[in-house]
CSV table of all heavy atoms in Angstrom, one decimal:
chain,number,residue,atom,x,y,z
A,588,CYS,N,-12.6,-14.0,43.7
A,588,CYS,CA,-11.5,-14.1,44.3
A,588,CYS,C,-11.4,-12.9,45.3
A,588,CYS,O,-11.6,-11.8,44.9
A,588,CYS,CB,-10.4,-14.0,43.4
A,588,CYS,SG,-8.7,-13.9,44.1
A,589,ILE,N,-11.2,-13.2,46.6
A,589,ILE,CA,-11.3,-12.2,47.7
A,589,ILE,C,-9.9,-12.1,48.2
A,589,ILE,O,-9.3,-13.1,48.8
A,589,ILE,CB,-12.3,-12.6,48.7
A,589,ILE,CG1,-13.7,-12.6,48.1
A,589,ILE,CG2,-12.2,-11.5,49.9
A,589,ILE,CD1,-14.7,-13.3,49.0
A,590,LEU,N,-9.3,-10.9,48.1
A,590,LEU,CA,-7.9,-10.6,48.6
A,590,LEU,C,-8.0,-9.9,50.0
A,590,LEU,O,-8.4,-8.9,50.1
A,590,LEU,CB,-7.2,-9.7,47.5
A,590,LEU,CG,-7.2,-10.1,46.1
A,590,LEU,CD1,-6.6,-9.0,45.2
A,590,LEU,CD2,-6.4,-11.4,46.0
A,591,MET,N,-7.6,-10.8,51.0
A,591,MET,CA,-7.6,-10.2,52.4
A,591,MET,C,-6.2,-9.6,52.6
A,591,MET,O,-5.3,-10.2,52.3
A,591,MET,CB,-7.8,-11.4,53.3
A,591,MET,CG,-9.2,-12.2,53.1
A,591,MET,SD,-10.6,-11.0,53.6
A,591,MET,CE,-10.5,-10.8,55.3
A,592,THR,N,-6.3,-8.5,53.2
A,592,THR,CA,-5.0,-7.8,53.7
A,592,THR,C,-5.1,-7.2,55.0
A,592,THR,O,-6.2,-6.9,55.5
A,592,THR,CB,-4.6,-6.7,52.6
A,592,THR,OG1,-5.5,-5.6,52.8
A,592,THR,CG2,-4.6,-7.1,51.2
A,593,GLY,N,-3.9,-6.8,55.6
A,593,GLY,CA,-4.0,-6.0,56.8
A,593,GLY,C,-4.2,-4.7,56.4
A,593,GLY,O,-4.6,-4.3,55.3
A,594,ASP,N,-4.3,-3.7,57.5
A,594,ASP,CA,-4.8,-2.3,57.2
A,594,ASP,C,-3.6,-1.5,56.5
A,594,ASP,O,-3.9,-0.6,55.8
A,594,ASP,CB,-5.3,-1.7,58.5
A,594,ASP,CG,-6.6,-2.3,59.0
A,594,ASP,OD1,-7.4,-2.7,58.1
A,594,ASP,OD2,-6.9,-2.4,60.1
A,595,LYS,N,-2.4,-1.8,57.0
A,595,LYS,CA,-1.3,-1.0,56.5
A,595,LYS,C,-0.6,-1.7,55.3
A,595,LYS,O,-0.2,-2.9,55.3
A,595,LYS,CB,-0.2,-0.8,57.6
A,595,LYS,CG,-0.6,0.1,58.6
A,595,LYS,CD,0.5,0.5,59.6
A,595,LYS,CE,0.2,1.5,60.6
A,595,LYS,NZ,0.8,1.4,61.8
A,596,LEU,N,-0.6,-1.0,54.1
A,596,LEU,CA,-0.1,-1.6,52.9
A,596,LEU,C,1.1,-0.7,52.4
A,596,LEU,O,0.9,0.5,52.4
A,596,LEU,CB,-1.2,-1.7,51.7
A,596,LEU,CG,-2.3,-2.7,52.1
A,596,LEU,CD1,-3.3,-2.7,50.8
A,596,LEU,CD2,-1.7,-4.1,52.2
A,597,SER,N,2.1,-1.4,51.8
A,597,SER,CA,3.1,-0.5,51.2
A,597,SER,C,2.6,-0.1,49.9
A,597,SER,O,1.6,-0.7,49.3
A,597,SER,CB,4.5,-1.4,51.0
A,597,SER,OG,4.2,-2.4,50.1
A,598,LYS,N,3.3,0.8,49.3
A,598,LYS,CA,2.9,1.4,47.9
A,598,LYS,C,2.8,0.3,47.0
A,598,LYS,O,1.9,0.2,46.2
A,598,LYS,CB,3.9,2.5,47.5
A,598,LYS,CG,3.4,3.3,46.4
A,598,LYS,CD,4.4,4.4,46.1
A,598,LYS,CE,4.3,4.9,44.7
A,598,LYS,NZ,5.3,5.5,44.1
A,599,GLU,N,3.9,-0.6,47.0
A,599,GLU,CA,3.9,-1.7,46.0
A,599,GLU,C,2.9,-2.6,46.2
A,599,GLU,O,2.2,-3.1,45.2
A,599,GLU,CB,5.3,-2.4,46.1
A,599,GLU,CG,5.7,-3.1,45.0
A,599,GLU,CD,7.2,-3.7,45.0
A,599,GLU,OE1,8.1,-2.9,44.9
A,599,GLU,OE2,7.2,-4.9,45.2
A,600,SER,N,2.5,-3.0,47.5
A,600,SER,CA,1.3,-4.0,47.7
A,600,SER,C,0.1,-3.4,47.2
A,600,SER,O,-0.8,-4.1,46.6
A,600,SER,CB,1.2,-4.2,49.3
A,600,SER,OG,2.4,-4.8,49.6
A,601,ARG,N,-0.1,-2.1,47.4
A,601,ARG,CA,-1.3,-1.4,47.1
A,601,ARG,C,-1.5,-1.5,45.5
A,601,ARG,O,-2.5,-1.8,45.0
A,601,ARG,CB,-1.3,0.1,47.5
A,601,ARG,CG,-2.7,0.6,47.6
A,601,ARG,CD,-2.8,2.0,48.4
A,601,ARG,NE,-2.3,1.9,49.7
A,601,ARG,CZ,-1.3,2.6,50.2
A,601,ARG,NH1,-0.6,3.3,49.4
A,601,ARG,NH2,-1.0,2.5,51.4
A,602,THR,N,-0.4,-1.3,44.8
A,602,THR,CA,-0.4,-1.4,43.3
A,602,THR,C,-0.8,-2.8,42.9
A,602,THR,O,-1.6,-3.0,41.9
A,602,THR,CB,1.0,-1.1,42.7
A,602,THR,OG1,1.4,0.3,43.3
A,602,THR,CG2,1.1,-1.0,41.2
A,603,ARG,N,-0.2,-3.8,43.6
A,603,ARG,CA,-0.5,-5.2,43.2
A,603,ARG,C,-1.9,-5.5,43.3
A,603,ARG,O,-2.7,-6.1,42.5
A,603,ARG,CB,0.3,-6.2,44.0
A,603,ARG,CG,1.8,-6.2,43.6
A,603,ARG,CD,2.5,-7.5,44.1
A,603,ARG,NE,2.5,-7.6,45.5
A,603,ARG,CZ,3.5,-7.2,46.3
A,603,ARG,NH1,4.6,-6.8,45.8
A,603,ARG,NH2,3.5,-7.5,47.6
A,604,ILE,N,-2.5,-5.1,44.5
A,604,ILE,CA,-3.9,-5.4,44.9
A,604,ILE,C,-4.8,-4.8,43.9
A,604,ILE,O,-5.8,-5.3,43.4
A,604,ILE,CB,-4.2,-5.0,46.3
A,604,ILE,CG1,-3.3,-5.8,47.4
A,604,ILE,CG2,-5.7,-5.4,46.7
A,604,ILE,CD1,-3.4,-7.2,47.5
Side-chain angles (χ1 to χ4, degrees):
C588 177
I589 299 166
L590 305 172
M591 299 294 292
T592 69
D594 290 329
K595 283 188 179 150
L596 291 181
S597 69
K598 190 179 167 202
E599 204 174 283
S600 299
R601 206 171 292 119
T602 305
R603 287 201 298 262
I604 304 293

